[in-house]
């Protein structure tokens, strides 16, 4: 099945990640149109792209089962969601970029209910090295128990990446404290998986350290650290062909490989994070094209709430009053948002 895509927004995220991934998808994805604030033509990678004004989008555009990829500044999300709701998008799917809505705008989250389906463009959850760490479970490593992101994860994306390694489990609790070099976030998931995130993010210096039942794994084992190393295989043009961990291998197909050009041959795995995210975005597009759920809306909203709580309160604990999966919490967040919004 071909994913019929309408794109709203044309910022760096779209031009640097989404459009290359769409091109790599080939016949699996077709772009019906790109919309932004104003009508114009843009030169992107040597191609002229015609952009329509968002005001020209009609109910008829949304009545023929498209998927709308919404990627606008987070301050504009409520207004654009309201504009789209007025067009009756009940026959369309929404593929919305993170953080879905800010907590201060939660009163507008009800606008998501008018779509046929909603999923989140959280590409970190589909990165190849995430697949590799999960696939390596079993003999001889055992089960993946914990991961440390040392300057290699950011905000709600870090919550989502850890969730993917927790195989989709919910966040039970989280806390944030200061150390001599920055802040440390500690996340606990319902299935017993845990994650430590050392801020600030710096992909050029970052690394991952995963603890399995029987050994440690890292993309950059430290001196004296008895950790198995993740290996990167490159082709003659410097594109990633595969990632390996012992006997476990994740092979990238031609479309995925095409999204990994441009990094220095000696770049570490985490230094290649932008390429990994482009591959993750392509994988999400393919999931949607196959009629699959993609990254779930409730996971995306929980990622945002956990991140906000850690930033403002230094802690989070899941309950009927705090988890956006529960109607009570959604009512509370909506009320606080309305009061804050005037």
């Amino acid at each position: 099945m071909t994913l019929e895509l309408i794109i709203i927004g044309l910022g760096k995220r779209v031009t640097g990640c989404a459009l290359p991934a769409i091109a790599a998808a080939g016949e699996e994805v077709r772009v019906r149109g790109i919309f932004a604030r104003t009508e114009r033509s843009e030169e992107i990678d040597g191609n002229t792209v015609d952009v329509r004004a968002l005001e020209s989008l009609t109910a008829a555009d949304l009545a023929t089962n498209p998927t709308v990829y919404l990627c606008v500044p987070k301050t504009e999300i409520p207004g654009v969601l309201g504009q789209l709701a007025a067009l009756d998008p009940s026959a369309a799917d929404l593929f919305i970029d993170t953080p879905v809505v800010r907590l201060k705008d939660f009163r507008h989250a009800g606008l998501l209910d008018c779509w046929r389906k909603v999923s989140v463009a959280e590409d970190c959850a589909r990165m190849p090295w995430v697949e590799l760490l999960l696939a390596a479970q079993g003999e001889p490593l055992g089960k993946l128990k914990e991961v440390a992101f040392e300057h290699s994860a950011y905000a709600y994306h870090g919550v989502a990446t850890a969730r993917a390694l927790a195989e989709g489990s919910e966040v039970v609790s989280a806390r944030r404290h200061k150390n001599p070099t920055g802040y440390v976030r500690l996340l606990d998931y319902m299935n017993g998986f845990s994650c430590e995130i050392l801020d600030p993010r710096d992909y050029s210096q970052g690394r991952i350290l995963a603890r399995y039942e029987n050994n440690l794994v890292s993309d950059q084992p430290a001196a004296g650290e008895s950790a198995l190393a993740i290996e990167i295989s490159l082709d003659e043009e410097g594109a990633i062909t595969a990632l390996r961990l012992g006997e476990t291998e994740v092979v990238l197909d031609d479309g995925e490989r095409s999204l990994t050009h441009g990094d220095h041959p000696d770049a570490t795995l985490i230094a290649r994070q932008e390429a990994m995210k482009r591959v993750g975005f392509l994988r999400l597009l393919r999931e949607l094209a196959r009629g699959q759920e993609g990254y779930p809306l409730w996971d995306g909203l929980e990622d945002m709430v956990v991140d906000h709580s850690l930033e403002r309160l230094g802690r989070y604990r899941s309950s009927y009053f705090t988890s956006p999966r529960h109607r009570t919490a959604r009512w509370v967040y909506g009320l606080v948002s309305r009061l804050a919004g005037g």
Side-chain angles (χ1 to χ4, degrees):
M1 188 174 75
T2 299
L3 184 68
E4 301 284 338
L5 206 62
I6 292 174
I7 300 174
I8 299 178
L10 195 60
K12 183 179 179 181
R13 164 75 167 162
V14 174
T15 60
C17 180
L19 291 182
I22 290 167
E27 295 182 356
E28 294 179 88
V29 180
R30 184 175 76 89
V31 177
R32 289 188 185 179
I34 300 176
F35 294 81
R37 291 177 182 173
T38 58
E39 181 177 347
R40 62 186 188 273
S41 294
E42 290 275 356
E43 289 290 329
I44 301 174
D45 292 332
N47 298 312
T48 301
V49 176
D50 292 325
V51 183
R52 294 169 55 186
L54 183 56
E55 287 75 11
S56 68
L57 186 70
T58 67
D61 292 319
L62 301 181
T64 52
N65 307 314
T67 295
V68 174
Y69 171 45
L70 178 58
C71 184
V72 298
K74 53 190 175 184
T75 55
E76 298 180 16
I77 291 173
V80 175
L81 285 177
Q83 189 172 347
L84 295 172
L87 299 177
D88 182 19
S90 57
D93 297 339
L94 180 63
F95 184 43
I96 186 168
D97 223 319
T98 54
V100 184
V101 293
R102 299 177 298 176
L103 198 61
K104 66 187 294 183
D105 296 324
F106 204 89
R107 64 191 182 279
H108 302 287
L111 295 170
L112 300 170
D113 295 337
C114 60
W115 295 82
R116 183 175 57 185
K117 290 189 298 185
V118 181
S119 63
V120 181
E122 183 48 87
D123 45 32
C124 286
R126 298 296 187 270
M127 294 184 294
W129 62 260
V130 170
E131 179 189 359
L132 180 72
L133 292 181
L134 289 173
Q137 295 184 106
E139 293 298 330
L141 290 176
K143 186 174 179 60
L144 179 61
K145 305 293 290 183
E146 183 180 359
V147 66
F149 296 138
E150 299 177 6
H151 308 295
S152 56
Y154 174 70
Y156 39 82
H157 300 303
V159 182
T161 308
R163 183 194 306 282
L165 292 169
E167 301 184 79
S169 185
E170 298 177 22
V171 179
V172 174
S173 63
R175 53 214 180 276
R176 174 178 180 256
H177 64 263
K178 192 170 179 58
N179 73 1
T181 61
Y183 285 94
V184 177
R185 298 174 177 225
L186 302 171
L187 308 170
D188 294 313
Y189 290 81
M190 187 174 291
N191 68 345
F193 181 82
S194 60
C195 174
E196 178 181 278
I197 302 175
L198 178 60
D199 294 330
R201 173 194 59 177
D202 181 355
Y203 292 152
S204 68
Q205 302 295 323
R207 73 164 189 151
I208 52 177
L209 180 65
R211 181 175 65 83
Y212 291 77
E213 289 176 313
N214 303 323
N215 211 335
L216 297 173
V217 167
S218 179
D219 63 314
Q220 297 181 78
E225 188 176 68
S226 58
L228 299 177
I230 298 172
E231 300 176 5
I232 305 172
S233 296
L234 304 175
D235 65 16
E236 294 179 352
E237 297 178 346
I240 297 175
T241 60
L243 300 177
R244 293 187 180 86
L245 177 54
E247 298 298 318
T248 304
E249 181 179 59
V250 169
V251 177
L252 277 63
D253 63 32
D254 291 343
E256 293 172 341
R257 293 178 191 179
S258 71
L259 298 170
T260 66
H261 289 283
D263 290 311
H264 191 278
D266 296 329
T268 66
L269 182 61
I270 294 303
R272 299 172 185 270
Q273 192 79 329
E274 294 302 327
M276 293 290 95
K277 291 169 67 175
R278 289 192 292 270
V279 175
F281 197 97
L282 172 59
R283 292 180 170 190
L284 284 174
L285 291 175
R286 288 172 167 171
E287 289 179 24
L288 298 182
R290 293 192 296 264
Q292 297 172 346
E293 182 181 23
Y295 193 78
L297 171 63
W298 298 119
D299 288 354
L301 286 173
E302 185 179 79
D303 296 340
M304 176 274 296
V305 169
V306 171
D307 176 64
H308 181 93
S309 298
L310 291 178
E311 285 292 317
R312 296 299 179 90
L313 304 175
R315 62 187 182 276
Y316 170 82
R317 182 168 293 277
S318 178
S319 73
Y320 286 104
F321 297 97
T322 59
S323 172
R325 301 175 190 278
H326 300 295
R327 182 177 299 177
T328 302
R330 295 197 295 273
W331 181 85
V332 170
Y333 291 142
L335 175 62
V336 171
S337 173
R338 284 190 291 274
L339 293 174

